[in-house]
Amino acid sequence: MKKYTSLVLLFLSANIYAQPLRDINFAYLYNPDEAFAFQLKAIRDEQSFTIQYSLQVRDTSANDYSIQWEGRNLLIDKNGMPLSLNVNERARAKSGMEGQAVLPVLDAPKYLVAKVVKQSTRRAWLFYKSLASTHPVNNYLTRNGELVLDPFIRTTESVVVAKDSAQWMVSYYSEDFPAAAPAFSEGQARVSRGMKTDSIFQVSGGEAINFSDKGIYLIQKDTNSLQGFAFRVEQDYPQYTRLSNLAGPLMYICTKQEYDRLELANGNKKAFDRVILNIAMETERARKLMRSYFRRVELANKYFTSYKEGWKTDRGMIYIIFGMPEEVYKFDDREVWNYDNDLLKGVFNFAKSSSLFDPDNYVLIRETKYKDEWYSVIDLWRNARF
């Protein structure tokens, strides 16, 4: 029996290793219960890509993971070419590892693939980044000497613009972007064609700085350039703890009148709690509603933060309302989520809509057919049946 099990594991492992990227179910990217969390980022300059990665293991007693690197030129390629990256491992511990490597632009494949392998089970997970010649990101932040791979930091944190000691231009935008429209809406919320820059200032690479105002920041060598990197600055994030930040995400499950009352509460906990209690009808259900809902909000902020808060994005909205999809497939121009459960049987298509502020932004292709499912699930939320 043990021999048979081993053969099965080897067969499954071989199939994972030799599989087109477009055929892989990437649902594990958005699974908070996955055995580990892996982040991958590429920074481009004229001569090279700097590849940064971080692997954080949840069960530190079973940390036998390794990372193998390969390149692929097409999403339909079953196998990639092994890459011998000169990895500078910045940190390794029982909880995981992080590091970076430099890849010359002339040697760069179209897709860089990180294959995370658990040695004891021979199971593999694949993660990839497109190394396009137009890749705009050309710098990054560090915090307490560690890489910042999340697209957000907090107002209380001190960070360093990592590359060299030259001056970098920082454009600050305080604009409050609209939340995503429902999945069945025939029109997305209107967004202005351009954003007003609130301020522009300089920072020096290698020096610590604190970004004390909420909003989005774009750091560039030249403000007329199409290169740079952006990140959001928030107070309590990705998990909200301040009462003043709780009203916004609830708009997806509130009536307009309820939402207006939540905003009017303006930090008054008793007034806020009355609205939630009127929705859920009893105290324990109200607690369950808030606990379950804001766990989803936290995950949406973690996975989908863009130029706006994660809960406001299209993928964040769908994740909050319908939960983690059973299947996620990634293509050059879109991401496809398949749901097949008791709540929903359907497909959501997200079209890639890249910008300097977010090269990996996605916009939901809305369809009126989701209206009934939407209101059915909203009713479950309001009755705290999650």
Side-chain angles (χ1 to χ4, degrees):
M1 184 65 179
K2 289 183 179 179
K3 182 178 180 181
Y4 175 79
T5 303
S6 298
L7 288 173
V8 170
L9 287 173
L10 286 173
F11 176 76
L12 291 174
S13 177
N15 276 293
I16 292 172
Y17 287 4
Q19 191 173 3
L21 294 173
R22 72 173 188 180
D23 294 344
I24 293 175
N25 177 7
F26 284 100
Y28 54 80
L29 295 175
Y30 311 133
N31 182 4
D33 297 321
E34 195 59 70
F36 62 89
F38 185 78
Q39 293 175 288
L40 182 64
K41 186 174 184 178
I43 297 95
R44 190 185 188 283
D45 58 31
E46 292 182 2
Q47 303 296 326
S48 62
F49 285 98
T50 299
I51 309 303
Q52 300 178 331
Y53 69 90
S54 172
L55 186 150
Q56 296 298 317
V57 179
R58 293 190 171 87
D59 182 1
T60 58
S61 66
N63 183 3
D64 60 342
Y65 295 91
S66 65
I67 302 173
Q68 301 169 12
W69 301 93
E70 67 178 39
R72 301 195 189 189
N73 290 317
L74 296 171
L75 292 179
I76 61 174
D77 291 343
K78 285 189 175 181
N79 292 289
M81 293 292 295
L83 293 175
S84 297
L85 294 184
N86 185 17
V87 175
N88 175 21
E89 194 171 87
R90 296 171 56 126
R92 177 184 281 267
K94 287 185 178 181
S95 59
M97 65 187 86
E98 72 168 39
Q100 63 183 35
V102 176
L103 183 63
V105 168
L106 294 178
D107 298 335
K110 185 173 182 181
Y111 302 101
L112 174 74
V113 180
K115 186 184 298 178
V116 179
V117 181
K118 184 170 177 58
Q119 300 297 330
S120 58
T121 61
R122 299 297 296 164
R123 184 182 173 188
W125 297 257
L126 268 61
F127 303 82
Y128 74 89
K129 278 289 182 185
S130 172
L131 300 183
S133 60
T134 56
H135 189 67
V137 179
N138 64 351
N139 206 333
Y140 61 99
L141 301 175
T142 62
R143 177 178 49 223
N144 299 324
E146 297 181 352
L147 305 173
V148 177
L149 296 180
D150 291 316
F152 57 83
I153 60 173
R154 299 175 187 86
T155 55
T156 56
E157 293 176 326
S158 178
V159 295
V160 172
V161 178
K163 291 183 69 173
D164 64 45
S165 59
Q167 294 294 307
W168 292 80
M169 304 301 298
V170 182
S171 300
Y172 167 63
Y173 306 85
S174 64
E175 185 164 340
D176 187 19
F177 297 97
F184 61 85
S185 175
E186 293 183 344
Q188 175 61 292
R190 291 186 177 274
V191 180
S192 59
R193 287 183 175 271
M195 293 191 298
K196 177 185 176 183
T197 306
D198 291 278
S199 63
I200 297 178
F201 56 95
Q202 287 186 331
V203 298
S204 297
E207 293 185 5
I209 185 171
N210 177 266
F211 297 95
S212 57
D213 293 319
K214 288 177 55 177
I216 187 166
Y217 292 79
L218 175 65
I219 298 185
Q220 300 173 283
K221 276 280 192 181
D222 178 356
T223 55
N224 293 317
S225 170
L226 295 179
Q227 288 187 318
F229 75 108
F231 54 92
R232 284 202 65 82
V233 174
E234 294 290 335
Q235 294 171 324
D236 48 339
Y237 202 83
Q239 180 184 29
Y240 287 132
T241 56
R242 299 189 180 192
L243 189 63
S244 58
N245 289 328
L246 299 185
L250 288 166
M251 66 168 52
Y252 296 137
I253 61 171
C254 288
T255 65
K256 184 180 185 307
Q257 293 76 18
E258 290 166 345
Y259 182 70
D260 289 343
R261 293 205 299 274
L262 287 175
E263 285 204 310
L264 286 172
N266 195 28
N268 184 320
K269 188 176 186 306
K270 288 186 177 180
F272 185 95
D273 288 348
R274 277 197 298 270
V275 180
I276 301 301
L277 187 58
N278 285 337
I279 293 172
M281 301 305 294
E282 61 181 53
T283 303
E284 187 53 40
R285 282 167 59 177
R287 290 197 186 102
K288 183 179 178 182
L289 165 63
M290 294 294 287
R291 185 168 55 246
S292 300
Y293 191 80
F294 277 93
R295 173 55 175 161
R296 295 263 186 98
V297 170
E298 177 187 353
L299 292 172
N301 287 341
K302 178 180 178 181
Y303 295 139
F304 308 116
T305 293
S306 179
Y307 59 90
K308 58 184 178 180
E309 300 93 314
W311 70 265
K312 289 183 176 181
T313 66
D314 286 352
R315 289 184 297 172
M317 171 194 64
I318 296 299
Y319 193 93
I320 291 170
I321 299 303
F322 296 106
M324 187 183 81
E326 278 71 33
E327 296 177 333
V328 173
Y329 296 98
K330 298 172 70 68
F331 303 91
D332 282 328
D333 61 343
R334 68 193 187 281
E335 191 167 293
V336 180
W337 291 14
N338 294 336
Y339 285 86
D340 186 13
N341 54 50
D342 294 338
L343 298 179
L344 176 66
K345 297 185 186 300
V347 179
F348 291 106
N349 287 280
F350 300 89
K352 194 167 187 177
S353 179
S354 301
S355 73
L356 179 58
F357 290 93
D358 183 7
D360 295 314
N361 185 48
Y362 289 85
V363 177
L364 175 65
I365 306 301
R366 288 167 169 76
E367 300 183 63
T368 56
K369 68 180 182 180
Y370 291 117
K371 189 171 186 177
D372 290 342
E373 287 90 347
W374 175 272
Y375 283 117
S376 176
V377 175
I378 295 301
D379 184 62
L380 292 175
W381 273 114
R382 292 172 64 86
N383 286 279
R385 295 179 182 172
F386 283 93

